[in-house]
PDB file of all heavy atoms in Angstrom:
ATOM      1  N   LYS A   1       0.862  -1.176   0.000  1.00 92.00           N
ATOM      2  CA  LYS A   1       0.000   0.000   0.000  1.00 92.00           C
ATOM      3  C   LYS A   1       0.902   1.232   0.000  1.00 92.00           C
ATOM      4  O   LYS A   1       1.472   1.585   1.026  1.00 92.00           O
ATOM      5  CB  LYS A   1      -0.922  -0.003   1.219  1.00 92.00           C
ATOM      6  CG  LYS A   1      -1.880  -1.176   1.246  1.00 92.00           C
ATOM      7  CD  LYS A   1      -2.688  -1.207   2.537  1.00 92.00           C
ATOM      8  CE  LYS A   1      -3.590  -2.437   2.593  1.00 92.00           C
ATOM      9  NZ  LYS A   1      -4.340  -2.515   3.867  1.00 92.00           N
ATOM     10  N   GLU A   2       1.050   1.847  -1.168  1.00 77.00           N
ATOM     11  CA  GLU A   2       1.972   2.962  -1.330  1.00 77.00           C
ATOM     12  C   GLU A   2       1.219   4.276  -1.490  1.00 77.00           C
ATOM     13  O   GLU A   2       0.094   4.312  -1.988  1.00 77.00           O
ATOM     14  CB  GLU A   2       2.856   2.748  -2.571  1.00 77.00           C
ATOM     15  CG  GLU A   2       3.780   1.540  -2.484  1.00 77.00           C
ATOM     16  CD  GLU A   2       5.040   1.851  -1.686  1.00 77.00           C
ATOM     17  OE1 GLU A   2       5.123   2.914  -1.049  1.00 77.00           O
ATOM     18  OE2 GLU A   2       5.953   0.994  -1.704  1.00 77.00           O
ATOM     19  N   SER A   3       1.879   5.367  -1.082  1.00 67.00           N
ATOM     20  CA  SER A   3       1.355   6.691  -1.400  1.00 67.00           C
ATOM     21  C   SER A   3       1.534   6.912  -2.891  1.00 67.00           C
ATOM     22  O   SER A   3       2.494   6.432  -3.497  1.00 67.00           O
ATOM     23  CB  SER A   3       2.118   7.766  -0.616  1.00 67.00           C
ATOM     24  OG  SER A   3       3.499   7.683  -0.905  1.00 67.00           O
ATOM     25  N   HIS A   4       0.589   7.618  -3.505  1.00 62.00           N
ATOM     26  CA  HIS A   4       0.656   7.828  -4.944  1.00 62.00           C
ATOM     27  C   HIS A   4       1.767   8.818  -5.274  1.00 62.00           C
ATOM     28  O   HIS A   4       1.850   9.901  -4.715  1.00 62.00           O
ATOM     29  CB  HIS A   4      -0.690   8.350  -5.460  1.00 62.00           C
ATOM     30  CG  HIS A   4      -1.806   7.352  -5.310  1.00 62.00           C
ATOM     31  ND1 HIS A   4      -1.895   6.231  -6.100  1.00 62.00           N
ATOM     32  CD2 HIS A   4      -2.846   7.296  -4.452  1.00 62.00           C
ATOM     33  CE1 HIS A   4      -2.963   5.536  -5.747  1.00 62.00           C
ATOM     34  NE2 HIS A   4      -3.551   6.154  -4.746  1.00 62.00           N
ATOM     35  N   SER A   5       2.628   8.417  -6.212  1.00 62.00           N
ATOM     36  CA  SER A   5       3.691   9.306  -6.675  1.00 62.00           C
ATOM     37  C   SER A   5       4.168   8.817  -8.016  1.00 62.00           C
ATOM     38  O   SER A   5       3.783   7.739  -8.482  1.00 62.00           O
ATOM     39  CB  SER A   5       4.865   9.338  -5.680  1.00 62.00           C
ATOM     40  OG  SER A   5       5.667   8.186  -5.823  1.00 62.00           O
ATOM     41  N   GLY A   6       5.028   9.595  -8.651  1.00 62.00           N
ATOM     42  CA  GLY A   6       5.513   9.246  -9.971  1.00 62.00           C
ATOM     43  C   GLY A   6       6.445   8.061  -9.991  1.00 62.00           C
ATOM     44  O   GLY A   6       6.741   7.522 -11.057  1.00 62.00           O
ATOM     45  N   MET A   7       6.944   7.603  -8.799  1.00 71.00           N
ATOM     46  CA  MET A   7       7.894   6.490  -8.767  1.00 71.00           C
ATOM     47  C   MET A   7       7.463   5.363  -7.831  1.00 71.00           C
ATOM     48  O   MET A   7       8.270   4.541  -7.429  1.00 71.00           O
ATOM     49  CB  MET A   7       9.283   7.001  -8.367  1.00 71.00           C
ATOM     50  CG  MET A   7       9.938   7.902  -9.407  1.00 71.00           C
ATOM     51  SD  MET A   7      10.135   7.138 -11.042  1.00 71.00           S
ATOM     52  CE  MET A   7      11.586   6.128 -10.761  1.00 71.00           C
ATOM     53  N   HIS A   8       6.175   5.315  -7.453  1.00 80.00           N
ATOM     54  CA  HIS A   8       5.668   4.247  -6.581  1.00 80.00           C
ATOM     55  C   HIS A   8       4.456   3.573  -7.214  1.00 80.00           C
ATOM     56  O   HIS A   8       3.595   4.237  -7.804  1.00 80.00           O
ATOM     57  CB  HIS A   8       5.267   4.799  -5.209  1.00 80.00           C
ATOM     58  CG  HIS A   8       6.425   5.159  -4.337  1.00 80.00           C
ATOM     59  ND1 HIS A   8       7.016   6.400  -4.356  1.00 80.00           N
ATOM     60  CD2 HIS A   8       7.122   4.428  -3.429  1.00 80.00           C
ATOM     61  CE1 HIS A   8       8.016   6.420  -3.489  1.00 80.00           C
ATOM     62  NE2 HIS A   8       8.104   5.237  -2.919  1.00 80.00           N
ATOM     63  N   LEU A   9       4.393   2.259  -7.088  1.00 90.00           N
ATOM     64  CA  LEU A   9       3.253   1.471  -7.530  1.00 90.00           C
ATOM     65  C   LEU A   9       2.841   0.531  -6.403  1.00 90.00           C
ATOM     66  O   LEU A   9       3.680   0.069  -5.632  1.00 90.00           O
ATOM     67  CB  LEU A   9       3.621   0.621  -8.752  1.00 90.00           C
ATOM     68  CG  LEU A   9       3.966   1.356 -10.047  1.00 90.00           C
ATOM     69  CD1 LEU A   9       4.574   0.372 -11.041  1.00 90.00           C
ATOM     70  CD2 LEU A   9       2.735   2.020 -10.631  1.00 90.00           C
ATOM     71  N   GLU A  10       1.548   0.221  -6.311  1.00 92.00           N
ATOM     72  CA  GLU A  10       1.108  -0.737  -5.302  1.00 92.00           C
ATOM     73  C   GLU A  10       1.354  -2.171  -5.754  1.00 92.00           C
ATOM     74  O   GLU A  10       1.533  -3.059  -4.933  1.00 92.00           O
ATOM     75  CB  GLU A  10      -0.369  -0.516  -4.977  1.00 92.00           C
ATOM     76  CG  GLU A  10      -0.615   0.796  -4.231  1.00 92.00           C
ATOM     77  CD  GLU A  10      -1.984   0.882  -3.614  1.00 92.00           C
ATOM     78  OE1 GLU A  10      -2.945   0.361  -4.217  1.00 92.00           O
ATOM     79  OE2 GLU A  10      -2.106   1.463  -2.516  1.00 92.00           O
ATOM     80  N   GLU A  11       1.354  -2.417  -7.058  1.00 94.00           N
ATOM     81  CA  GLU A  11       1.788  -3.697  -7.627  1.00 94.00           C
ATOM     82  C   GLU A  11       3.033  -3.414  -8.446  1.00 94.00           C
ATOM     83  O   GLU A  11       2.977  -2.670  -9.426  1.00 94.00           O
ATOM     84  CB  GLU A  11       0.701  -4.305  -8.507  1.00 94.00           C
ATOM     85  CG  GLU A  11       1.136  -5.604  -9.173  1.00 94.00           C
ATOM     86  CD  GLU A  11       0.104  -6.183 -10.124  1.00 94.00           C
ATOM     87  OE1 GLU A  11      -1.040  -5.680 -10.143  1.00 94.00           O
ATOM     88  OE2 GLU A  11       0.435  -7.140 -10.857  1.00 94.00           O
ATOM     89  N   PHE A  12       4.157  -3.989  -8.045  1.00 94.00           N
ATOM     90  CA  PHE A  12       5.412  -3.692  -8.715  1.00 94.00           C
ATOM     91  C   PHE A  12       6.234  -4.971  -8.850  1.00 94.00           C
ATOM     92  O   PHE A  12       5.905  -6.006  -8.254  1.00 94.00           O
ATOM     93  CB  PHE A  12       6.206  -2.626  -7.951  1.00 94.00           C
ATOM     94  CG  PHE A  12       6.507  -2.975  -6.519  1.00 94.00           C
ATOM     95  CD1 PHE A  12       7.723  -3.533  -6.156  1.00 94.00           C
ATOM     96  CD2 PHE A  12       5.559  -2.755  -5.520  1.00 94.00           C
ATOM     97  CE1 PHE A  12       7.997  -3.863  -4.829  1.00 94.00           C
ATOM     98  CE2 PHE A  12       5.817  -3.077  -4.197  1.00 94.00           C
ATOM     99  CZ  PHE A  12       7.043  -3.644  -3.847  1.00 94.00           C
ATOM    100  N   THR A  13       7.290  -4.907  -9.638  1.00 97.00           N
ATOM    101  CA  THR A  13       8.105  -6.086  -9.930  1.00 97.00           C
ATOM    102  C   THR A  13       9.485  -5.927  -9.310  1.00 97.00           C
ATOM    103  O   THR A  13      10.168  -4.931  -9.560  1.00 97.00           O
ATOM    104  CB  THR A  13       8.247  -6.281 -11.447  1.00 97.00           C
ATOM    105  OG1 THR A  13       6.966  -6.211 -12.060  1.00 97.00           O
ATOM    106  CG2 THR A  13       8.886  -7.636 -11.750  1.00 97.00           C
ATOM    107  N   MET A  14       9.849  -6.897  -8.495  1.00 97.00           N
ATOM    108  CA  MET A  14      11.155  -6.881  -7.857  1.00 97.00           C
ATOM    109  C   MET A  14      12.084  -7.897  -8.504  1.00 97.00           C
ATOM    110  O   MET A  14      11.646  -8.949  -8.977  1.00 97.00           O
ATOM    111  CB  MET A  14      11.040  -7.233  -6.371  1.00 97.00           C
ATOM    112  CG  MET A  14      10.415  -6.155  -5.508  1.00 97.00           C
ATOM    113  SD  MET A  14      11.436  -4.675  -5.374  1.00 97.00           S
ATOM    114  CE  MET A  14      12.924  -5.331  -4.610  1.00 97.00           C
ATOM    115  N   LEU A  15      13.358  -7.560  -8.530  1.00 98.00           N
ATOM    116  CA  LEU A  15      14.422  -8.523  -8.767  1.00 98.00           C
ATOM    117  C   LEU A  15      15.209  -8.627  -7.474  1.00 98.00           C
ATOM    118  O   LEU A  15      15.712  -7.617  -6.977  1.00 98.00           O
ATOM    119  CB  LEU A  15      15.360  -8.057  -9.886  1.00 98.00           C
ATOM    120  CG  LEU A  15      16.780  -8.653  -9.856  1.00 98.00           C
ATOM    121  CD1 LEU A  15      16.752 -10.150 -10.138  1.00 98.00           C
ATOM    122  CD2 LEU A  15      17.703  -7.931 -10.815  1.00 98.00           C
ATOM    123  N   ASN A  16      15.292  -9.822  -6.908  1.00 97.00           N
ATOM    124  CA  ASN A  16      16.168 -10.059  -5.770  1.00 97.00           C
ATOM    125  C   ASN A  16      17.201 -11.105  -6.168  1.00 97.00           C
ATOM    126  O   ASN A  16      16.851 -12.139  -6.751  1.00 97.00           O
ATOM    127  CB  ASN A  16      15.387 -10.564  -4.551  1.00 97.00           C
ATOM    128  CG  ASN A  16      14.907  -9.438  -3.671  1.00 97.00           C
ATOM    129  OD1 ASN A  16      14.366  -8.457  -4.172  1.00 97.00           O
ATOM    130  ND2 ASN A  16      15.081  -9.571  -2.373  1.00 97.00           N
ATOM    131  N   LEU A  17      18.452 -10.832  -5.837  1.00 98.00           N
ATOM    132  CA  LEU A  17      19.515 -11.806  -6.050  1.00 98.00           C
ATOM    133  C   LEU A  17      20.280 -11.980  -4.748  1.00 98.00           C
ATOM    134  O   LEU A  17      20.378 -11.057  -3.944  1.00 98.00           O
ATOM    135  CB  LEU A  17      20.444 -11.362  -7.178  1.00 98.00           C
ATOM    136  CG  LEU A  17      21.245 -10.070  -6.989  1.00 98.00           C
ATOM    137  CD1 LEU A  17      22.559 -10.288  -6.247  1.00 98.00           C
ATOM    138  CD2 LEU A  17      21.523  -9.423  -8.332  1.00 98.00           C
ATOM    139  N   VAL A  18      20.805 -13.187  -4.539  1.00 97.00           N
ATOM    140  CA  VAL A  18      21.592 -13.444  -3.335  1.00 97.00           C
ATOM    141  C   VAL A  18      22.645 -14.503  -3.634  1.00 97.00           C
ATOM    142  O   VAL A  18      22.390 -15.455  -4.374  1.00 97.00           O
ATOM    143  CB  VAL A  18      20.693 -13.878  -2.155  1.00 97.00           C
ATOM    144  CG1 VAL A  18      19.967 -15.168  -2.460  1.00 97.00           C
ATOM    145  CG2 VAL A  18      21.501 -14.011  -0.862  1.00 97.00           C
ATOM    146  N   ASP A  19      23.821 -14.283  -3.104  1.00 96.00           N
ATOM    147  CA  ASP A  19      24.923 -15.235  -3.194  1.00 96.00           C
ATOM    148  C   ASP A  19      25.313 -15.604  -1.770  1.00 96.00           C
ATOM    149  O   ASP A  19      25.839 -14.771  -1.030  1.00 96.00           O
ATOM    150  CB  ASP A  19      26.101 -14.587  -3.935  1.00 96.00           C
ATOM    151  CG  ASP A  19      27.330 -15.502  -4.015  1.00 96.00           C
ATOM    152  OD1 ASP A  19      27.273 -16.628  -3.505  1.00 96.00           O
ATOM    153  OD2 ASP A  19      28.346 -15.063  -4.583  1.00 96.00           O
ATOM    154  N   MET A  20      25.022 -16.850  -1.364  1.00 94.00           N
ATOM    155  CA  MET A  20      25.422 -17.321  -0.036  1.00 94.00           C
ATOM    156  C   MET A  20      26.755 -18.048  -0.157  1.00 94.00           C
ATOM    157  O   MET A  20      26.895 -18.980  -0.964  1.00 94.00           O
ATOM    158  CB  MET A  20      24.368 -18.253   0.553  1.00 94.00           C
ATOM    159  CG  MET A  20      24.708 -18.682   1.990  1.00 94.00           C
ATOM    160  SD  MET A  20      23.330 -19.447   2.873  1.00 94.00           S
ATOM    161  CE  MET A  20      23.218 -21.021   2.033  1.00 94.00           C
ATOM    162  N   GLY A  21      27.728 -17.588   0.631  1.00 92.00           N
ATOM    163  CA  GLY A  21      29.067 -18.142   0.553  1.00 92.00           C
ATOM    164  C   GLY A  21      29.859 -17.596  -0.618  1.00 92.00           C
ATOM    165  O   GLY A  21      30.515 -18.364  -1.333  1.00 92.00           O
ATOM    166  N   PRO A  22      29.812 -16.280  -0.842  1.00 92.00           N
ATOM    167  CA  PRO A  22      30.534 -15.717  -1.995  1.00 92.00           C
ATOM    168  C   PRO A  22      32.036 -15.917  -1.870  1.00 92.00           C
ATOM    169  O   PRO A  22      32.579 -15.945  -0.757  1.00 92.00           O
ATOM    170  CB  PRO A  22      30.165 -14.232  -1.946  1.00 92.00           C
ATOM    171  CG  PRO A  22      29.835 -13.965  -0.511  1.00 92.00           C
ATOM    172  CD  PRO A  22      29.192 -15.230  -0.018  1.00 92.00           C
ATOM    173  N   ALA A  23      32.698 -16.061  -3.009  1.00 88.00           N
ATOM    174  CA  ALA A  23      34.156 -16.168  -3.013  1.00 88.00           C
ATOM    175  C   ALA A  23      34.745 -14.792  -2.746  1.00 88.00           C
ATOM    176  O   ALA A  23      34.435 -13.826  -3.436  1.00 88.00           O
ATOM    177  CB  ALA A  23      34.631 -16.703  -4.363  1.00 88.00           C
ATOM    178  N   GLY A  24      35.560 -14.665  -1.714  1.00 89.00           N
ATOM    179  CA  GLY A  24      36.154 -13.370  -1.387  1.00 89.00           C
ATOM    180  C   GLY A  24      35.230 -12.496  -0.563  1.00 89.00           C
ATOM    181  O   GLY A  24      34.303 -12.975   0.101  1.00 89.00           O
ATOM    182  N   ASP A  25      35.478 -11.205  -0.599  1.00 92.00           N
ATOM    183  CA  ASP A  25      34.741 -10.235   0.212  1.00 92.00           C
ATOM    184  C   ASP A  25      33.302 -10.095  -0.275  1.00 92.00           C
ATOM    185  O   ASP A  25      33.055  -9.880  -1.467  1.00 92.00           O
ATOM    186  CB  ASP A  25      35.451  -8.881   0.154  1.00 92.00           C
ATOM    187  CG  ASP A  25      34.752  -7.843   0.999  1.00 92.00           C
ATOM    188  OD1 ASP A  25      34.856  -7.911   2.232  1.00 92.00           O
ATOM    189  OD2 ASP A  25      34.088  -6.959   0.414  1.00 92.00           O
ATOM    190  N   ALA A  26      32.341 -10.198   0.647  1.00 92.00           N
ATOM    191  CA  ALA A  26      30.920 -10.153   0.278  1.00 92.00           C
ATOM    192  C   ALA A  26      30.533  -8.806  -0.323  1.00 92.00           C
ATOM    193  O   ALA A  26      29.736  -8.744  -1.276  1.00 92.00           O
ATOM    194  CB  ALA A  26      30.054 -10.457   1.499  1.00 92.00           C
ATOM    195  N   THR A  27      31.068  -7.724   0.207  1.00 93.00           N
ATOM    196  CA  THR A  27      30.722  -6.396  -0.305  1.00 93.00           C
ATOM    197  C   THR A  27      31.229  -6.210  -1.728  1.00 93.00           C
ATOM    198  O   THR A  27      30.533  -5.646  -2.588  1.00 93.00           O
ATOM    199  CB  THR A  27      31.289  -5.294   0.607  1.00 93.00           C
ATOM    200  OG1 THR A  27      30.724  -5.433   1.914  1.00 93.00           O
ATOM    201  CG2 THR A  27      30.945  -3.911   0.073  1.00 93.00           C
ATOM    202  N   GLU A  28      32.439  -6.704  -2.008  1.00 94.00           N
ATOM    203  CA  GLU A  28      32.972  -6.598  -3.366  1.00 94.00           C
ATOM    204  C   GLU A  28      32.160  -7.464  -4.328  1.00 94.00           C
ATOM    205  O   GLU A  28      31.925  -7.076  -5.477  1.00 94.00           O
ATOM    206  CB  GLU A  28      34.445  -6.997  -3.386  1.00 94.00           C
ATOM    207  CG  GLU A  28      35.350  -5.999  -2.687  1.00 94.00           C
ATOM    208  CD  GLU A  28      35.181  -4.580  -3.208  1.00 94.00           C
ATOM    209  OE1 GLU A  28      35.227  -4.409  -4.442  1.00 94.00           O
ATOM    210  OE2 GLU A  28      34.998  -3.663  -2.384  1.00 94.00           O
ATOM    211  N   SER A  29      31.734  -8.640  -3.862  1.00 95.00           N
ATOM    212  CA  SER A  29      30.864  -9.476  -4.700  1.00 95.00           C
ATOM    213  C   SER A  29      29.558  -8.757  -4.996  1.00 95.00           C
ATOM    214  O   SER A  29      29.057  -8.782  -6.127  1.00 95.00           O
ATOM    215  CB  SER A  29      30.581 -10.809  -3.998  1.00 95.00           C
ATOM    216  OG  SER A  29      31.753 -11.578  -3.868  1.00 95.00           O
ATOM    217  N   LEU A  30      28.997  -8.121  -3.968  1.00 95.00           N
ATOM    218  CA  LEU A  30      27.750  -7.389  -4.143  1.00 95.00           C
ATOM    219  C   LEU A  30      27.899  -6.294  -5.198  1.00 95.00           C
ATOM    220  O   LEU A  30      27.037  -6.135  -6.075  1.00 95.00           O
ATOM    221  CB  LEU A  30      27.326  -6.781  -2.803  1.00 95.00           C
ATOM    222  CG  LEU A  30      26.014  -5.993  -2.794  1.00 95.00           C
ATOM    223  CD1 LEU A  30      24.863  -6.890  -3.189  1.00 95.00           C
ATOM    224  CD2 LEU A  30      25.785  -5.382  -1.420  1.00 95.00           C
ATOM    225  N   LYS A  31      28.970  -5.549  -5.125  1.00 95.00           N
ATOM    226  CA  LYS A  31      29.204  -4.481  -6.105  1.00 95.00           C
ATOM    227  C   LYS A  31      29.303  -5.050  -7.517  1.00 95.00           C
ATOM    228  O   LYS A  31      28.820  -4.449  -8.484  1.00 95.00           O
ATOM    229  CB  LYS A  31      30.461  -3.709  -5.740  1.00 95.00           C
ATOM    230  CG  LYS A  31      30.337  -2.874  -4.475  1.00 95.00           C
ATOM    231  CD  LYS A  31      31.642  -2.176  -4.132  1.00 95.00           C
ATOM    232  CE  LYS A  31      31.523  -1.355  -2.865  1.00 95.00           C
ATOM    233  NZ  LYS A  31      32.815  -0.710  -2.500  1.00 95.00           N
ATOM    234  N   LYS A  32      29.926  -6.222  -7.637  1.00 96.00           N
ATOM    235  CA  LYS A  32      30.032  -6.869  -8.946  1.00 96.00           C
ATOM    236  C   LYS A  32      28.651  -7.205  -9.491  1.00 96.00           C
ATOM    237  O   LYS A  32      28.349  -6.938 -10.665  1.00 96.00           O
ATOM    238  CB  LYS A  32      30.876  -8.139  -8.830  1.00 96.00           C
ATOM    239  CG  LYS A  32      30.881  -8.986 -10.097  1.00 96.00           C
ATOM    240  CD  LYS A  32      31.476 -10.363  -9.841  1.00 96.00           C
ATOM    241  CE  LYS A  32      31.261 -11.293 -11.040  1.00 96.00           C
ATOM    242  NZ  LYS A  32      31.740 -12.664 -10.786  1.00 96.00           N
ATOM    243  N   TYR A  33      27.787  -7.783  -8.643  1.00 97.00           N
ATOM    244  CA  TYR A  33      26.461  -8.194  -9.101  1.00 97.00           C
ATOM    245  C   TYR A  33      25.598  -6.978  -9.453  1.00 97.00           C
ATOM    246  O   TYR A  33      24.818  -7.021 -10.412  1.00 97.00           O
ATOM    247  CB  TYR A  33      25.774  -9.046  -8.038  1.00 97.00           C
ATOM    248  CG  TYR A  33      26.561 -10.277  -7.658  1.00 97.00           C
ATOM    249  CD1 TYR A  33      26.588 -10.738  -6.335  1.00 97.00           C
ATOM    250  CD2 TYR A  33      27.299 -10.979  -8.604  1.00 97.00           C
ATOM    251  CE1 TYR A  33      27.321 -11.854  -5.989  1.00 97.00           C
ATOM    252  CE2 TYR A  33      28.033 -12.102  -8.257  1.00 97.00           C
ATOM    253  CZ  TYR A  33      28.042 -12.533  -6.945  1.00 97.00           C
ATOM    254  OH  TYR A  33      28.773 -13.644  -6.602  1.00 97.00           O
ATOM    255  N   ILE A  34      25.732  -5.925  -8.690  1.00 97.00           N
ATOM    256  CA  ILE A  34      25.016  -4.691  -9.028  1.00 97.00           C
ATOM    257  C   ILE A  34      25.451  -4.208 -10.407  1.00 97.00           C
ATOM    258  O   ILE A  34      24.621  -3.807 -11.240  1.00 97.00           O
ATOM    259  CB  ILE A  34      25.278  -3.608  -7.962  1.00 97.00           C
ATOM    260  CG1 ILE A  34      24.543  -3.957  -6.659  1.00 97.00           C
ATOM    261  CG2 ILE A  34      24.840  -2.228  -8.462  1.00 97.00           C
ATOM    262  CD1 ILE A  34      24.922  -3.077  -5.480  1.00 97.00           C
ATOM    263  N   GLY A  35      26.745  -4.263 -10.667  1.00 97.00           N
ATOM    264  CA  GLY A  35      27.257  -3.841 -11.962  1.00 97.00           C
ATOM    265  C   GLY A  35      26.710  -4.684 -13.100  1.00 97.00           C
ATOM    266  O   GLY A  35      26.387  -4.154 -14.179  1.00 97.00           O
ATOM    267  N   ILE A  36      26.577  -6.000 -12.884  1.00 98.00           N
ATOM    268  CA  ILE A  36      26.034  -6.887 -13.917  1.00 98.00           C
ATOM    269  C   ILE A  36      24.598  -6.498 -14.257  1.00 98.00           C
ATOM    270  O   ILE A  36      24.212  -6.400 -15.431  1.00 98.00           O
ATOM    271  CB  ILE A  36      26.106  -8.352 -13.448  1.00 98.00           C
ATOM    272  CG1 ILE A  36      27.557  -8.835 -13.434  1.00 98.00           C
ATOM    273  CG2 ILE A  36      25.261  -9.255 -14.350  1.00 98.00           C
ATOM    274  CD1 ILE A  36      27.750 -10.193 -12.788  1.00 98.00           C
ATOM    275  N   VAL A  37      23.782  -6.270 -13.209  1.00 98.00           N
ATOM    276  CA  VAL A  37      22.380  -5.920 -13.428  1.00 98.00           C
ATOM    277  C   VAL A  37      22.252  -4.562 -14.118  1.00 98.00           C
ATOM    278  O   VAL A  37      21.486  -4.409 -15.084  1.00 98.00           O
ATOM    279  CB  VAL A  37      21.610  -5.916 -12.093  1.00 98.00           C
ATOM    280  CG1 VAL A  37      20.195  -5.354 -12.283  1.00 98.00           C
ATOM    281  CG2 VAL A  37      21.541  -7.319 -11.509  1.00 98.00           C
ATOM    282  N   MET A  38      23.009  -3.591 -13.651  1.00 98.00           N
ATOM    283  CA  MET A  38      22.880  -2.251 -14.212  1.00 98.00           C
ATOM    284  C   MET A  38      23.374  -2.198 -15.662  1.00 98.00           C
ATOM    285  O   MET A  38      22.813  -1.472 -16.492  1.00 98.00           O
ATOM    286  CB  MET A  38      23.632  -1.251 -13.339  1.00 98.00           C
ATOM    287  CG  MET A  38      23.075  -1.138 -11.924  1.00 98.00           C
ATOM    288  SD  MET A  38      21.324  -0.694 -11.854  1.00 98.00           S
ATOM    289  CE  MET A  38      21.444   1.060 -12.246  1.00 98.00           C
ATOM    290  N   LYS A  39      24.392  -2.968 -15.979  1.00 98.00           N
ATOM    291  CA  LYS A  39      24.856  -3.036 -17.366  1.00 98.00           C
ATOM    292  C   LYS A  39      23.797  -3.679 -18.252  1.00 98.00           C
ATOM    293  O   LYS A  39      23.504  -3.200 -19.357  1.00 98.00           O
ATOM    294  CB  LYS A  39      26.165  -3.815 -17.448  1.00 98.00           C
ATOM    295  CG  LYS A  39      26.714  -3.924 -18.869  1.00 98.00           C
ATOM    296  CD  LYS A  39      28.028  -4.709 -18.902  1.00 98.00           C
ATOM    297  CE  LYS A  39      28.561  -4.832 -20.331  1.00 98.00           C
ATOM    298  NZ  LYS A  39      29.822  -5.622 -20.370  1.00 98.00           N
TER     299      LYS A  39
END
């Protein structure tokens, strides 16, 4: 239940990704995955 605005919807689509047990630093892995999605 969202307030009406130009960037909010009450029905919306999410992408969630998760890597459990990432190789190396978790924060650096996260930045890598963000880069993949944004590209």
Side-chain angles (χ1 to χ4, degrees):
K1 297 175 183 178
E2 296 279 10
S3 57
H4 295 288
S5 78
M7 292 302 281
H8 287 89
L9 294 168
E10 291 194 325
E11 177 184 350
F12 57 97
T13 311
M14 288 293 299
L15 156 67
N16 270 46
L17 63 86
V18 62
D19 177 0
M20 184 166 71
D25 181 74
T27 299
E28 290 306 310
S29 294
L30 181 61
K31 291 178 181 178
K32 172 192 170 184
Y33 302 143
I34 288 170
I36 289 171
V37 172
M38 297 303 284
K39 180 180 179 181

